Amino acid sequence: MKIGITCYPSMGGSGIIATELGIKLAERGHDVHFITSNIPFRIRKPLPNITFHQVEVNQYAVFRYAPYDITLSTKIAEVIDEYDLDILHMHYAVPHAVCGILGRQMAKKKDVKIMTTLHGTDITVLGYDHTLRNGIKFGIEQSDLVTSVSNALAQQTYDIVQPDKDIVTIYNFVRETEFETKHDESLKAYYNIQPEEKVLIHVSNFRKVKRIDTIIDTFAKVRAEQPAKLLLLGDGPELMDMKAKVHEMNLQDDILFLGKQDWVSEFYQMADLVLLLSEKESFGLTLLEAMKTGVVPIGSNAGGIKEVIKHGETGYIVDVGDSDAASRYALQLLNDQELYQRLQSNMLTDIEQRFGSELITDQYEHYYQQLIEGVYD
Ligand code: GMT
């Protein structure tokens, strides 16, 4: 198949999934065309069957805002015609799905099929914005097939945007070769972490929805009982406030702000627990990456996190904002090796069975094939 993919190429779960899927599809022999503003960061070197088409937006004095959407749509149309694409896979309803639809209208070849994958923020944040909601609805309804990364997000889409469209859930995955199941204590020395200290980790873009305040409160309660360090990876709007909070709580020696990191695998390898206590989260790809490495998760009951972690079997779920429960579960896991190993073993089996890269790629391939065969016409 000849597949065009548009996503945000920078760090962020949606860009990672779009890129990793493109790599898997290319490995299976499909021709994959990324139509993006930059080379997606997970593509480290040229790969067979992958072509990158850069969307370059020019600025003119007449424009108050550079017209990314029109430029992207024009580029999509060019790529559809030049490479005779069968499928356009757009990640995010706005602007990408809408640009895909516009691009198809501009192209000579009109029978290219459009799949749109919803990732979360495009619905749970932008869906509430009346200046965008109808655009999101349009992007969903005019796509030939729409997928969501969790059942929770599909339901939220029906509730918030009310599209007249079926939405299929296809879960996220990790490409196994990127996340080796391995715990490496020796890495702790680089960060001055003592051997007896347990390591908790959180990775995000430090938006308010990530509730890093609850992560810090949870850690403070763990730290009161147990030598431990918290690694905070990422950057974003909450960073300075969270640094101030850590200083106020006098935890600056035990909470390490490690900034934005493109490659997180080795950080997970020194961690014992991963925390994701967001108030909105369609899936929580960081959980899956950490779990594949062997790190047991504690998540909030927001959105799709409950579909990723099976409470009491593969990790624990707590209410949003409940740092007491999160710290209680964390201490249980850190102090009971048998419990930790049981959950870890369940977790590794479960993620292989439900979120394996071959399985999920098969699902996308299946729906591409159905689209091409006209099943959704
Ligand atoms: O979490 C973010 O803010 C980044 C965002 C994105 O657009 O990349 O992530 C969303 O998509 C990921 C991949 O499907 C999901 O794992 C994240 O849960 C989702 N984020 C939210 O729903 C807040």
Side-chain angles (χ1 to χ4, degrees):
M1 292 178 225
K2 287 164 278 179
I3 304 156
I5 296 179
T6 294
C7 63
Y8 289 116
S10 54
M11 217 170 72
S14 61
I16 293 174
I17 288 300
T19 312
E20 296 291 2
L21 178 62
I23 295 172
K24 290 290 297 181
L25 292 164
E27 284 171 359
R28 291 184 176 196
H30 300 295
D31 284 333
V32 175
H33 296 266
F34 281 99
I35 312 164
T36 47
S37 52
N38 275 308
I39 297 184
F41 85 96
R42 279 276 170 100
I43 298 184
R44 272 172 279 183
K45 55 181 175 54
L47 293 168
N49 303 335
I50 291 187
T51 312
F52 166 61
H53 307 271
Q54 187 160 27
V55 181
E56 273 174 298
V57 188
N58 296 327
Q59 181 60 282
Y60 296 93
V62 284
F63 293 139
R64 183 155 167 219
Y65 304 107
Y68 168 72
D69 303 359
I70 307 262
T71 309
L72 171 61
S73 308
T74 308
K75 191 73 173 180
I76 287 173
E78 283 168 19
V79 177
I80 292 174
D81 284 335
E82 189 176 350
Y83 294 90
D84 194 20
L85 295 188
D86 303 302
I87 297 285
L88 270 179
H89 192 162
M90 313 311 285
H91 293 262
Y92 261 67
V94 282
H96 295 156
V98 176
C99 294
I101 292 153
L102 192 54
R104 176 168 64 184
Q105 281 180 358
M106 285 183 204
K108 292 190 196 73
K109 178 180 163 41
K110 306 282 184 208
D111 61 351
V112 61
K113 303 293 183 195
I114 299 177
M115 179 188 282
T116 292
T117 294
L118 308 174
H119 282 277
T121 307
D122 46 353
I123 302 301
T124 57
V125 177
L126 308 182
Y128 287 104
D129 183 337
H130 73 95
T131 68
L132 294 172
R133 193 182 305 124
N134 279 342
I136 296 170
K137 193 166 187 279
F138 174 84
I140 292 174
E141 289 178 345
Q142 296 299 312
S143 297
D144 297 296
L145 185 70
V146 177
T147 73
S148 155
V149 298
S150 62
N151 294 323
L153 178 61
Q155 189 54 52
Q156 283 173 307
T157 308
Y158 293 130
D159 294 343
I160 300 168
V161 184
Q162 299 174 354
D164 182 14
K165 190 84 181 173
D166 287 341
I167 300 172
V168 173
T169 295
I170 301 183
Y171 284 135
N172 286 332
F173 66 97
V174 278
R175 203 152 50 92
E176 288 78 3
T177 45
E178 290 292 329
F179 293 91
E180 204 184 338
T181 307
K182 180 176 166 194
H183 187 76
D184 190 347
E185 285 283 309
S186 69
L187 297 169
K188 287 179 168 181
Y190 289 117
Y191 297 93
N192 240 344
I193 302 173
Q194 302 309 306
E196 69 280 9
E197 290 180 312
K198 298 291 185 183
V199 175
L200 288 73
I201 190 167
H202 167 82
V203 182
S204 77
N205 52 15
F206 278 61
R207 291 193 295 131
K208 229 181 173 61
V209 291
K210 300 292 175 179
R211 293 299 298 265
I212 294 162
D213 54 341
T214 315
I215 305 265
I216 293 169
D217 292 342
T218 300
F219 175 75
K221 289 169 191 166
V222 171
R223 179 69 195 87
E225 306 280 327
Q226 153 93 54
K229 289 273 192 282
L230 172 64
L231 308 184
L232 290 176
L233 273 68
D235 200 343
E238 287 284 279
L239 182 65
M240 296 320 286
D241 283 354
M242 292 304 115
K243 283 189 172 170
K245 177 176 167 73
V246 165
H247 273 271
E248 269 163 35
M249 294 172 81
N250 201 21
L251 284 170
Q252 60 277 11
D253 293 338
D254 292 323
I255 298 186
L256 312 183
F257 287 90
L258 299 177
K260 202 165 166 176
Q261 303 280 343
D262 276 354
W263 304 102
V264 287
S265 165
E266 292 190 347
F267 295 99
Y268 292 136
Q269 285 176 16
M270 61 178 139
D272 300 287
L273 295 175
V274 58
L275 303 179
L276 189 66
L277 304 177
S278 320
E279 60 189 37
K280 286 182 181 180
E281 199 70 66
S282 67
F283 185 90
L285 189 61
T286 170
L287 290 171
L288 200 53
E289 293 180 340
M291 288 159 88
K292 173 64 184 66
T293 313
V295 187
V296 175
I298 298 177
S300 63
N301 60 357
I305 295 180
K306 300 185 289 299
E307 294 168 59
V308 178
I309 303 173
K310 292 184 176 168
H311 179 66
E313 272 182 64
T314 67
Y316 290 110
I317 297 281
V318 301
D319 288 341
V320 172
D322 192 349
S323 58
D324 283 341
S327 60
R328 217 171 32 246
Y329 285 129
L331 285 163
Q332 273 174 25
L333 284 164
L334 296 176
N335 291 308
D336 183 343
Q337 219 187 343
E338 192 270 320
L339 173 74
Y340 188 94
Q341 284 171 352
R342 179 156 46 83
L343 264 59
Q344 186 187 50
S345 157
N346 293 343
M347 167 191 96
L348 289 169
T349 310
D350 185 50
I351 61 171
E352 193 183 326
Q353 285 172 353
R354 295 194 300 137
F355 308 115
S357 65
E358 288 296 309
L359 174 84
I360 303 299
T361 309
D362 283 350
Q363 292 178 10
Y364 279 114
E365 230 179 14
H366 164 79
Y367 284 109
Y368 291 161
Q369 192 55 46
Q370 289 212 322
L371 280 169
I372 291 170
E373 286 168 13
V375 173
Y376 295 95
D377 289 355

